[in-house]
Amino acid sequence: MHKLLFSLLSIVSLFFHGGEARQLEVPLPNACHFSQINSLGPAHAIKFEAGQMEVWDHTSPELRCAGVTVARITLQANSIFLPSFFSSPALAYVVQGEGVMGTIASGCPETYEEIGGGDSGRRFEDMHQKLENFRRGDVFALVAGVSQWWYNRGNSDVVIVIVLDVTNRENQLDQVPRMFQIAGSRTQEEEQPLTWPTGNNAFSGFDPNIIAEAFKIDIETAKELQNQKDNRGNIVRAKGPLHFVISPPRQRQQDHGNVNGIEETYCTARIHENIDDPERSDFFSTRAGRISTLNSHNLPVLRSVRLNAVRGVLYSGGMVLPQWTANANTVLYATGGQARIQVVDDNGQSVFNEQVTQGQLLVVPQGFAVVKTAGETGFEWISFRTNDNAYMNTLSGETSYLRAVPLDVIKAAYVVTEEDANRIKFSQQETMLAMTQASSS
Amino acid sequence: MHKLLFSLLSIVSLFFHGGEARQLEVPLPNACHFSQINSLGPAHAIKFEAGQMEVWDHTSPELRCAGVTVARITLQANSIFLPSFFSSPALAYVVQGEGVMGTIASGCPETYEEIGGGDSGRRFEDMHQKLENFRRGDVFALVAGVSQWWYNRGNSDVVIVIVLDVTNRENQLDQVPRMFQIAGSRTQEEEQPLTWPTGNNAFSGFDPNIIAEAFKIDIETAKELQNQKDNRGNIVRAKGPLHFVISPPRQRQQDHGNVNGIEETYCTARIHENIDDPERSDFFSTRAGRISTLNSHNLPVLRSVRLNAVRGVLYSGGMVLPQWTANANTVLYATGGQARIQVVDDNGQSVFNEQVTQGQLLVVPQGFAVVKTAGETGFEWISFRTNDNAYMNTLSGETSYLRAVPLDVIKAAYVVTEEDANRIKFSQQETMLAMTQASSS
Amino acid sequence: MHKLLFSLLSIVSLFFHGGEARQLEVPLPNACHFSQINSLGPAHAIKFEAGQMEVWDHTSPELRCAGVTVARITLQANSIFLPSFFSSPALAYVVQGEGVMGTIASGCPETYEEIGGGDSGRRFEDMHQKLENFRRGDVFALVAGVSQWWYNRGNSDVVIVIVLDVTNRENQLDQVPRMFQIAGSRTQEEEQPLTWPTGNNAFSGFDPNIIAEAFKIDIETAKELQNQKDNRGNIVRAKGPLHFVISPPRQRQQDHGNVNGIEETYCTARIHENIDDPERSDFFSTRAGRISTLNSHNLPVLRSVRLNAVRGVLYSGGMVLPQWTANANTVLYATGGQARIQVVDDNGQSVFNEQVTQGQLLVVPQGFAVVKTAGETGFEWISFRTNDNAYMNTLSGETSYLRAVPLDVIKAAYVVTEEDANRIKFSQQETMLAMTQASSS
């Protein structure tokens, strides 16, 4: 239906404003009727000096239903993803690589750092806000309107997948994804993408005189802040390797926290956790695989972000028992291997039954039942869910729906004998992960 | 206006996709302009083997404004409403009958039960999650994505009215009502309803081999779970009478609660309360009637469900003084008798002034003033309100608006003498319920 | 785009319902793409007996993006803005004048008051809910569905600006602003405004007999409550001057609080605070000006209202350093003087760069960067923000973004030398307010 309305409005759009550059943004709510769900790859790549940003099509039915938008950024060695922020809360997952990440919130305490050398050779103190090392497996909570920058200090690419919850209450703009750059510039690509990110940095929109006044610098330096002659985009090569001192922040002298409205606890709050470590798994099977959950119980900042994440690993022949998420949409990103995934909608119709391989994205709407079976090389994935305490119900196994129902109900429901009802109810003794028979035999 | 857009899009729909089976779902927000509000009966009935499910038209202006959807299920004696869930939080009210209700949440503790007899005659232990007796007057809170089943153990029909809050944040799909069946099947009705519920169960969408693997059962039994050859629908006759042991749950051995994201307190939380008992009334008049409120103060789980309920009884000649609900829409369902109800909108226009009789539904939007006067046989109703602590303001009587305003303001506002202002302010000394003069004389 | 859809639907509207009186209300979500933002004056003024109510066009792109609606009410000396409420939470700012304000919530305790004189000359007791003195600089939190009345007891006009958060969850109607009058009447204006407020009072929609029953008064007095022959509108002259005793409320005898769903703390909660007092400033500069913030830390009732406010004063030559609000839209109302304001969007494009003068309104969407420079006579304003703890990030100065970023990142980002990077980072030592160089020299 939304496709229909889309077609209609596209036609109307052409008629009234045929030459308009801006993409038509039809304000549809989550429309979650599917005859088929498609797994999705990125729709567009924006090349920067030292990396790229790939964005998924946020107007696809699947992402519209889930109310989210997805991007993947790739930083080459010794490059910086320049400071920028989103109007939506988001989760970022480090798919590969390692580096340093800085988050910027006015009013949070600063760290002093002794610096030697530089262009001038003299020694002096720098100061900046807390930095954090990042590595593969880290999930970062990105608060709406708070900037980050990322530096790749390793020798190989850093790859980060970011899911923005555009329908979150904290995004008070429309449901179009927006990246606000405060450094960086527009690239020189011939064909500008219809969607985000296309921008120049915030300074470029101000009068240089105003910038000079605001910073107490001369006009020429003010113009540098605008990156007007710059076409490197938002990922640039550093004169590196850069070394940052990751030290605990000093006590802040002035308490701007309450005044400024930032959550008192934000400045000192943990904003990331690594969920790749097998020892932190919530479900673990030596043969089948493991599942690790990050929610507001173990990362409290997620309470305000209203998102959570699940990291999963399946070995060859392993399966995740059929289940549904009660109170959230799920965006699954395959980080390795492949799996056959089946998804069933509210009418009992199969809406997805395909292989999902590394780099692909699959949306599983709230309530839709899903089962995953690993391929020969196993399967690894990260799932982002649109609730800070998303709640899973399993259809089979130890804590499943069928365990919860009396035998007499099962017999009446499925027209089976007591023996069959017993088998249905108790044969599968695993909780969440199991081996397929085929692979066991 | 929404009717207009509806017309427009219907026409366009026919033009572009004339033959489409799915109903056009226009993503309108709550459109609450009415020249007239209509009381509503169910729009469609789906017959099942041992009962039926009637659904109201969720595209009606009234239900769209309130952002809710309503269904009424009728279970014949000794029948089961099979396990299913909604993507929206809901309240269910037991209009008549009694039975046993089971709610299913993965990770909640189970109850052991000794069972004798059955098909095989042997004795063994069953285990399942907590069951609760239900009876007329019970309100149940239904959490999004959590399944229920209901068994009628009495000799007469059980009737349950369910109000789904489709615009609640916990429903992350679109605003189309959806029932997810995990048992049961599609019925063989010639004409499938355009709307819900039309589905097969979740298992029917999976490959039988996958089900066999997931349950460790053979393919034939897996196919039974799909109810493929079944056309009994979602209410089936039991080989009964069934007897369930309602016992307190055992301590759960493994704590999946936090991992799974379910509220720690949910498993042990009360999810229902009976509000028919005259002794729990909040407002009571021996002659006029009584009113009983259920909100998150007396049923804390309503805090997450964000709904509340009011049960009312008026005797002949009784009236509920004019009032408005400050922060919620109200969906009134008449359970008995009849009343003349008047509703006034934000422009001081009468938008409803009619008799409401048993089985009818009336939407009163937030802020709209309403007054109820019982007919000769009295009036009984249940009101569902879209806020866990909906707040009522009365226009006359003891705690009313006019009591709160100084006499000088009343004199200026209504151009009355001090004597009249005094009478307006103090004559009515009842708080919420009063007798009409006509009936008193 | 929304303009486009608007045009389309307007045309369709004319075609299908050409003569319809009701304005077309297209349910657009916040559409925040702007080639240009306009400052806004009121679109329509409704004259009452002793004052007027001016309303901004809630369908303007700017107010739609912010999800708010704005009104300005002017009360002549010795007049009353009669009791009425909104379905949306709101903040009211007293721009000028002083008086008494009464808020009305069923179930809150009452104050007794001895009254002498009046029409009859006899002495008796009145009772009413708590009254509060108001004066210039007060911000009042208006809870959805709770009525207020305002009395101008001074010699000059009272002017109050009200911002309604129509997209707030507490407004459960559509996004059309609605004022519910419970006294007052429609005015006799020839041309009724297409939008709010146009109404008669709630009583006028009821059958007079029902009102008589509900109040235990005679039909004639009941008709007075309907203000049928009244065309004074919602602001009327009092037989004044009126004197109200502002005394602490007595203990309430009956606890209707929980039953009624009103927050237990509401009745005793402070609902206003004066933010004009220079001593309560959060940022203060003897030369540049001052800024004072009201949020849920210092006025807890804002937590449920989900709005906050900032009062600002700039002296000639003062500027507010460039900044963005992380998690809220801002609605700025100029109360005095003038300033040049620049606003930059997510693409680094200037969308506003003009003088804003007394009485004008400017919307600054979430994340958009803004800088203000006072004109020769200085500038005073009040900003309403759509979050109870809106969080500001500054681009320059003591606690700014650039302070938070290591020098190496600044060098790479803006392609500057270490000396320039140092200057960019440390030259501006003010936090939020600074003097422009031009004015200093």
Side-chain angles (χ1 to χ4, degrees), chain B residues 48-357:
Chain B
F48 298 134
E49 184 197 38
Q52 67 174 357
M53 182 163 177
E54 294 159 287
V55 297
W56 269 253
D57 177 9
H58 68 277
T59 65
S60 73
E62 290 83 4
L63 293 181
R64 281 196 173 268
C65 169
V68 302
T69 289
V70 184
R72 180 168 63 196
I73 59 178
T74 304
L75 290 82
Q76 298 167 8
N78 193 37
S79 70
I80 304 173
F81 184 85
L82 294 174
S84 55
F85 64 89
F86 306 104
S87 57
S88 303
L91 289 184
Y93 178 76
V94 180
V95 177
Q96 67 175 66
E98 59 168 317
V100 172
M101 186 262 200
T103 184
I104 302 160
S106 289
C108 287
E110 286 157 350
T111 299
Y112 281 79
E113 184 184 341
E114 280 228 3
I115 290 184
D119 295 9
S120 62
R122 59 199 169 83
R123 296 186 67 83
F124 65 99
E125 261 195 343
D126 188 19
M127 51 193 290
H128 51 71
Q129 287 188 8
K130 75 174 160 183
L131 309 180
E132 314 201 31
N133 289 317
F134 69 81
R135 63 186 169 96
R136 178 189 149 96
D138 278 343
V139 175
F140 279 83
L142 311 185
V143 175
V146 172
S147 317
Q148 291 84 33
W149 56 269
W150 307 77
Y151 172 62
N152 179 355
R153 73 164 168 222
N155 295 316
S156 56
D157 283 0
V158 160
V159 176
I160 299 169
V161 170
I162 301 178
V163 172
L164 286 77
D165 187 15
V166 292
T167 47
N168 194 298
R169 160 76 197 174
E170 290 290 299
N171 175 30
Q172 302 203 352
L173 301 180
D174 51 35
Q175 294 178 17
V176 181
R178 284 192 173 79
M179 186 168 85
F180 292 79
Q181 298 171 231
I182 48 185
S185 59
R186 187 187 295 272
T187 58
Q188 273 191 322
E189 290 192 39
E190 278 300 294
E191 183 197 359
Q192 286 296 326
L194 289 174
T195 57
W196 68 305
T198 60
N200 291 308
N201 79 34
F203 295 114
S204 69
F206 286 118
D207 182 336
N209 292 305
I210 286 288
I211 297 174
E213 297 273 20
F215 282 87
K216 296 204 170 200
I217 52 178
D218 57 47
I219 295 279
E220 290 316 306
T221 315
K223 285 181 177 165
E224 305 276 20
L225 281 174
Q226 299 186 314
N227 290 103
Q228 299 283 30
K229 286 169 280 182
D230 189 356
N231 57 15
R232 296 172 303 159
N234 209 52
I235 301 179
V236 303
R237 197 164 319 282
K239 281 188 185 167
L242 304 182
H243 297 285
F244 300 106
V245 179
I246 315 287
S247 58
R250 298 213 308 197
Q251 204 62 30
R252 67 181 139 176
Q253 292 137 318
Q254 217 183 330
D255 184 1
H256 291 301
N258 286 1
V259 164
N260 196 7
I262 199 166
E263 291 297 320
E264 282 169 85
T265 48
Y266 177 75
C267 294
T268 52
R270 256 188 327 124
I271 60 164
H272 80 281
E273 182 163 308
N274 194 286
I275 56 171
D276 257 9
D277 184 355
E279 289 188 13
R280 86 178 291 295
S281 299
D282 304 311
F283 300 97
F284 185 87
S285 155
T286 43
R287 292 183 62 208
R290 56 190 153 87
I291 283 177
S292 185
T293 305
L294 185 69
N295 59 29
S296 59
H297 289 290
N298 41 46
L299 191 63
V301 73
L302 294 180
R303 204 164 293 136
S304 69
V305 171
R306 296 206 62 167
L307 292 168
N308 85 348
V310 172
R311 170 69 174 161
V313 173
L314 279 182
Y315 306 132
S316 175
M319 78 186 295
V320 182
L321 294 175
Q323 39 114 329
W324 75 90
T325 303
N327 56 356
N329 296 308
T330 299
V331 177
L332 177 152
Y333 177 81
T335 57
Q338 64 171 25
R340 180 170 207 85
I341 301 185
Q342 297 192 25
V343 180
V344 174
D345 75 2
D346 56 306
N347 288 316
Q349 304 298 319
S350 173
V351 288
F352 186 83
N353 186 7
E354 289 178 35
Q355 299 289 334
V356 173
T357 56

Side-chain angles (χ1 to χ4, degrees), chain A residues 33 47 94 145 159 223 247 250 288 299-300 303 372 398 406 412:
Chain A
H33 270 154
K47 308 272 184 221
V94 181
V159 176
K223 285 180 176 165
S247 57
R250 299 212 309 195
L299 191 65
R303 204 164 294 136
K372 305 178 188 77
E398 169 75 17

Side-chain angles (χ1 to χ4, degrees), chain C residues 196-427:
Chain C
W196 67 304
T198 60
N200 290 309
N201 78 34
F203 296 113
S204 69
F206 286 117
D207 181 338
N209 292 305
I210 286 288
I211 298 174
E213 297 273 21
F215 282 87
K216 296 201 170 204
I217 52 179
D218 57 47
I219 296 278
E220 290 316 306
T221 314
K223 286 181 177 164
E224 305 277 20
L225 282 174
Q226 299 187 312
N227 290 105
Q228 299 282 29
K229 287 170 278 181
D230 189 356
N231 56 17
R232 297 171 303 157
N234 209 52
I235 301 178
V236 303
R237 197 164 320 284
K239 282 188 184 166
L242 305 181
H243 298 285
F244 300 106
V245 179
I246 314 286
S247 58
R250 297 214 306 198
Q251 204 62 29
R252 68 180 138 174
Q253 291 136 316
Q254 219 182 327
D255 183 1
H256 291 299
N258 285 2
V259 164
N260 196 7
I262 199 166
E263 291 295 320
E264 282 169 84
T265 50
Y266 177 76
C267 295
T268 52
R270 258 189 325 125
I271 59 162
H272 80 280
E273 182 164 310
N274 194 286
I275 57 171
D276 257 9
D277 184 354
E279 290 189 13
R280 85 178 290 296
S281 299
D282 305 311
F283 300 97
F284 186 87
S285 154
T286 44
R287 293 183 60 209
R290 57 190 153 86
I291 283 176
S292 185
T293 305
L294 185 69
N295 58 30
S296 58
H297 290 289
N298 41 46
L299 191 64
V301 74
L302 294 181
R303 203 164 295 136
S304 70
V305 171
R306 295 206 62 167
L307 292 168
N308 85 348
V310 172
R311 172 66 173 161
V313 174
L314 279 181
Y315 306 132
S316 175
M319 77 187 296
V320 182
L321 294 176
Q323 40 112 324
W324 75 91
T325 303
N327 56 354
N329 296 308
T330 299
V331 177
L332 177 152
Y333 178 81
T335 57
Q338 65 171 26
R340 180 170 206 86
I341 301 185
Q342 296 192 27
V343 179
V344 175
D345 74 3
D346 56 307
N347 289 315
Q349 304 299 318
S350 172
V351 288
F352 186 83
N353 186 7
E354 289 177 37
Q355 299 289 334
V356 174
T357 57
Q358 184 175 346
Q360 285 184 312
L361 193 85
L362 180 66
V363 169
V364 183
Q366 179 187 12
F368 285 36
V370 61
V371 64
K372 306 178 187 76
T373 319
E376 286 184 12
T377 56
F379 184 57
E380 299 186 5
W381 76 98
I382 176 87
S383 283
F384 304 88
R385 300 187 299 184
T386 57
N387 213 324
D388 49 315
N389 281 305
Y391 167 52
M392 265 186 285
N393 279 290
T394 43
L395 281 162
S396 69
E398 170 75 15
T399 60
S400 72
Y401 142 67
L402 278 160
R403 277 295 179 90
V405 175
L407 276 175
D408 281 336
V409 175
I410 293 175
K411 282 157 61 183
Y414 303 107
V415 202
V416 291
T417 63
E418 186 151 307
E419 284 67 29
D420 279 351
N422 244 312
R423 234 171 272 130
I424 287 170
K425 192 161 173 176
F426 296 108
S427 291

Side-chain angles (χ1 to χ4, degrees), chain C residues 5-35:
Chain C
L5 186 53
F6 232 78
S7 310
L8 162 65
L9 289 167
S10 301
I11 289 163
V12 173
S13 171
L14 287 170
F15 188 76
F16 282 84
H17 289 67
E20 208 172 50
R22 270 262 180 242
Q23 186 179 0
L24 185 70
E25 296 299 344
V26 181
L28 288 174
N30 301 348
C32 298
H33 270 154
F34 295 100
S35 54

Side-chain angles (χ1 to χ4, degrees), chain A residues 80-322:
Chain A
I80 304 173
F81 184 86
L82 294 174
S84 56
F85 64 90
F86 306 103
S87 56
S88 303
L91 289 185
Y93 178 77
V94 181
V95 177
Q96 68 174 65
E98 58 167 317
V100 173
M101 186 263 200
T103 184
I104 302 159
S106 289
C108 287
E110 285 157 349
T111 299
Y112 281 79
E113 184 184 341
E114 281 231 1
I115 290 185
D119 295 6
S120 61
R122 59 197 171 84
R123 297 187 65 83
F124 64 99
E125 262 195 343
D126 188 18
M127 51 193 291
H128 51 72
Q129 287 187 7
K130 76 173 161 185
L131 310 180
E132 313 203 31
N133 289 318
F134 69 81
R135 63 186 169 95
R136 177 191 149 94
D138 278 343
V139 174
F140 279 82
L142 310 185
V143 175
V146 172
S147 316
Q148 293 83 35
W149 56 269
W150 306 77
Y151 172 61
N152 179 355
R153 74 163 168 222
N155 296 317
S156 57
D157 284 359
V158 160
V159 176
I160 298 169
V161 171
I162 301 178
V163 172
L164 286 78
D165 188 15
V166 292
T167 47
N168 194 297
R169 161 76 198 174
E170 290 290 297
N171 175 30
Q172 301 203 353
L173 302 180
D174 51 34
Q175 295 179 15
V176 180
R178 285 192 171 78
M179 186 168 86
F180 293 79
Q181 298 170 231
I182 48 185
S185 59
R186 188 187 295 271
T187 57
Q188 274 192 323
E189 289 190 41
E190 278 301 296
E191 184 197 0
Q192 286 296 326
L194 290 174
T195 57
W196 68 306
T198 59
N200 290 308
N201 78 35
F203 295 114
S204 68
F206 285 118
D207 182 336
N209 292 305
I210 286 288
I211 298 175
E213 298 274 21
F215 282 87
K216 297 202 168 205
I217 53 179
D218 58 46
I219 296 278
E220 290 315 305
T221 313
K223 285 180 176 165
E224 304 277 18
L225 280 174
Q226 299 186 313
N227 291 104
Q228 299 283 29
K229 286 170 280 183
D230 189 355
N231 57 15
R232 296 172 304 158
N234 210 51
I235 302 179
V236 304
R237 198 164 318 282
K239 282 188 184 166
L242 304 182
H243 298 284
F244 300 106
V245 179
I246 314 287
S247 57
R250 299 212 309 195
Q251 204 62 30
R252 66 182 141 173
Q253 292 138 317
Q254 217 181 331
D255 183 1
H256 289 302
N258 285 2
V259 164
N260 196 7
I262 199 167
E263 291 297 318
E264 282 168 85
T265 50
Y266 177 76
C267 295
T268 52
R270 257 187 327 124
I271 59 163
H272 80 281
E273 183 164 309
N274 195 286
I275 56 170
D276 257 9
D277 184 354
E279 290 189 12
R280 86 178 289 297
S281 300
D282 304 311
F283 299 97
F284 186 87
S285 154
T286 42
R287 293 182 60 206
R290 57 192 153 84
I291 282 175
S292 186
T293 306
L294 187 70
N295 59 29
S296 59
H297 289 290
N298 42 46
L299 191 65
V301 74
L302 294 181
R303 204 164 294 136
S304 69
V305 170
R306 295 207 60 169
L307 292 168
N308 85 348
V310 172
R311 171 67 173 161
V313 173
L314 279 181
Y315 306 132
S316 175
M319 79 186 294
V320 182
L321 294 175

Side-chain angles (χ1 to χ4, degrees), chain A residues 306-378:
Chain A
R306 295 207 60 169
L307 292 168
N308 85 348
V310 172
R311 171 67 173 161
V313 173
L314 279 181
Y315 306 132
S316 175
M319 79 186 294
V320 182
L321 294 175
Q323 39 115 325
W324 75 90
T325 303
N327 57 354
N329 296 307
T330 299
V331 177
L332 177 153
Y333 177 81
T335 58
Q338 65 172 26
R340 180 170 206 87
I341 301 185
Q342 296 191 26
V343 179
V344 174
D345 75 3
D346 55 307
N347 288 315
Q349 304 299 319
S350 172
V351 288
F352 187 81
N353 186 8
E354 289 178 35
Q355 298 289 333
V356 173
T357 57
Q358 184 176 346
Q360 286 184 311
L361 193 84
L362 180 67
V363 168
V364 182
Q366 179 187 13
F368 284 37
V370 61
V371 65
K372 305 178 188 77
T373 319
E376 286 184 12
T377 56

